[in-house]
Amino acid sequence: MSRLLHVDSGPYAPPVPVRELTAFSADGARLHVEIHGAEGAPAVVLVHGWTCSTAFWAAQIRELAADHRVIAYDQRGHGRSPAGPACSTDALADDLEAVLTVTLAPGEQAVIAGHSMGGMTVMAASARAAFRAHTAAVLLCSTGSSQLVAASTVVPIRPGRPRTWLTRRILGSRAPLGPVTPLARRILKYGTMGPGSAPHMVEACARIVHACPRKVRHAWSQVLDLLDLDHGVRELDVPTTVVVGTADRLTPPAQARALCEALPQCTGFTELPGIGHMTPVEAPELVTGKIRELVTAHIQVVSEESA
C-alpha cells in the first residue's frame, strides 16, 4: 500500500487522535480507526469516500472534537487500512458494522456522516442490526445510490452511451496518478471540485486522492460502476439530511434529489451553489454545522428517553 500523504499544515492538516485502534471486519479485513475528543461526549462517526482517507475529514474532526467524540476510519484499501479480501458493498457494510461495534457501547447511538462512497456505505448497511442499534441520524454528503456513471457530468457532452462509455474509461482507469503537480491539481479540481475552490482546498484533496493506490482505486471504481443501492435508501429509516453541491460532476444534484424522494425520513436537503463533489472540504463550516444540528436534535432526545 502506498504511503499516506496529506497536507501537514493549515485547516486540512489531520489532527492527532486521542486513540487509535484496529477493527476487524467479517472477512478478517483490518480497519484503521481513530478516535478524537472526550469519552462520554456525543458520538459522531465519519465515513470517507472513494480514494480518500480519514484525512479528508480534518476540518470536521478539528471543530467537532471540542465537544464530541469523533470516530473516523479508513475504508479498506485506503489510508492506513490494508486492502481486504473483497471489494463490494456488502464488505463496506461489514466494515461499518465492525467499527460501530468496537467503538460504541451497547445502546450508544451516533450521528453518522458519509461522503460519496461513505454515503453508499451507510446505504449498504442500513438494514444491518448493528447499524440500526447504533445510528441516531445520518448526514449524506455528495452521494448517490445507483446509475453513477450514466449520471456523471465529468465528460461535458450530452447524456447517452458515448458519454457513459468515456466516463467509465476515465473513472476506471488503471493509470497511476503520479505526483501532485500543477496539472494534476487542475484536473482534480475540474473533476471533483467547484470552480471557486481555493488553492489550499485543492491541494489538500489532491494529496489525499493521489495517495490512494491505483489498484485500490481501480477495484473500487468497478464496484461503483455497478452500484445499485436503491433498496438500501428505502431501508434507511432514521432522520437523514442530504447535502450536495450544484457543481458536483460525480454525483450531480439530481442524484441527491432522488435520495430525498426515496428516504423514509428525509429531514433536510441543501444544495450549495458553486460547490463541487468535495463538500466537507469545500464547505467545511456548513457540513460541520449540519452534523451538529443532527446531534442536537436526535442524540440528546435519545439520551433523555433512555434515562
Side-chain angles (χ1 to χ4, degrees), residues 50-269:
W50 178 48
T51 74
C52 293
S53 68
T54 58
F56 186 78
W57 294 105
Q60 284 70 43
I61 292 171
R62 181 169 287 105
E63 293 300 319
L64 290 170
D67 50 1
H68 295 73
R69 184 160 60 96
V70 184
I71 299 157
Y73 71 98
D74 287 323
Q75 301 265 28
R76 58 176 62 200
H78 296 71
R80 283 176 277 182
S81 293
C87 287
S88 67
T89 55
D90 281 341
L92 293 176
D94 288 341
D95 295 351
L96 178 55
E97 275 200 302
V99 171
L100 296 176
T101 300
V102 78
T103 58
L104 300 176
E108 182 181 11
Q109 291 197 314
V111 166
I112 302 181
H115 170 259
S116 193
M117 193 173 80
M120 298 162 202
T121 301
V122 170
M123 299 173 214
S126 61
R128 300 291 188 91
F131 178 87
R132 292 190 169 186
H134 288 298
T135 304
V138 163
L139 176 66
L140 297 177
C141 295
S142 311
T143 192
S145 60
S146 63
Q147 300 295 315
L148 300 183
V149 174
S152 170
T153 59
V154 168
V155 178
I157 61 176
R158 71 176 65 183
R161 292 177 64 184
R163 190 180 79 173
T164 300
W165 185 89
L166 286 169
T167 304
R168 182 173 288 118
R169 295 302 179 275
I170 292 169
L171 299 182
S173 171
R174 296 176 184 268
L177 295 182
V180 177
T181 63
L183 176 60
R185 286 191 287 268
R186 287 197 294 273
I187 293 171
L188 181 96
K189 181 178 179 179
Y190 167 79
T192 69
M193 306 181 78
S197 299
H200 69 289
M201 296 177 178
V202 179
E203 180 72 19
C205 287
R207 290 195 175 275
I208 293 168
V209 170
H210 279 240
C212 182
R214 62 172 173 168
K215 289 183 179 179
V216 171
R217 188 181 80 240
H218 173 74
W220 284 106
S221 76
Q222 303 308 292
V223 175
L224 300 180
D225 184 9
L226 301 175
L227 189 79
D228 184 358
L229 289 172
D230 293 345
H231 62 288
V233 182
R234 295 189 291 270
E235 295 281 353
L236 188 53
D237 196 6
V238 296
T240 302
T241 294
V242 179
V243 172
V244 67
T246 61
D248 189 337
R249 298 178 187 272
L250 291 177
T251 52
Q255 293 266 18
R257 296 188 200 105
L259 291 178
C260 290
E261 292 175 2
L263 284 165
Q265 297 188 57
C266 184
T267 56
F269 173 56

